[in-house]
Amino acid sequence: VQLVESGGGLAQPGGSLRVSCAASGRTGVMAWFRQARGKERAFVAAIRWGDGNTRYADSVKGRFTISRDSAKLTVNLQMNSLKPEDTAVYYCAARLVYSVQYYDSEQYDFWGQGTQVTVSS
């Protein structure tokens, strides 16, 4: 499965951005992780492809929304009320079968190339 990300860019604090990930095939779960400079890759959000069940990191809950477009095999991450600490490279990840450890990057078999999100005034 190949993952191609798009979107991201620069936003002011309190602003919004959207990142998208197009998959070349069906998967069981897709997720977004992010890696800020000098920090480890961290879980952001995940969505189970079959029923659309979602999970979020506490740091983004209520501000970010993950969704899927089944026809386009695309997962979107809408990011609102952005904060400077949201600045990172955002990576799309996929796994063929859902794992209860959806927050663990080592559970994922496929990764996108990453897209930069910068939140700054």
Side-chain angles (χ1 to χ4, degrees), residues 33-80:
F33 288 77
R34 66 187 181 185
Q35 188 166 19
R37 190 173 299 177
K39 295 188 176 181
E40 293 186 355
R41 193 168 295 189
F43 170 74
V44 176
I47 186 165
R48 188 159 57 191
W49 200 263
D51 61 5
N53 188 272
T54 58
R55 292 287 187 271
Y56 296 93
D58 288 343
S59 59
V60 307
K61 205 170 290 184
R63 300 188 298 121
F64 290 12
T65 302
I66 188 171
S67 62
R68 75 195 195 294
D69 183 328
S70 298
K72 297 180 180 178
L73 293 180
T74 298
V75 170
N76 303 305
L77 184 69
Q78 178 66 39
M79 303 179 287
N80 298 329

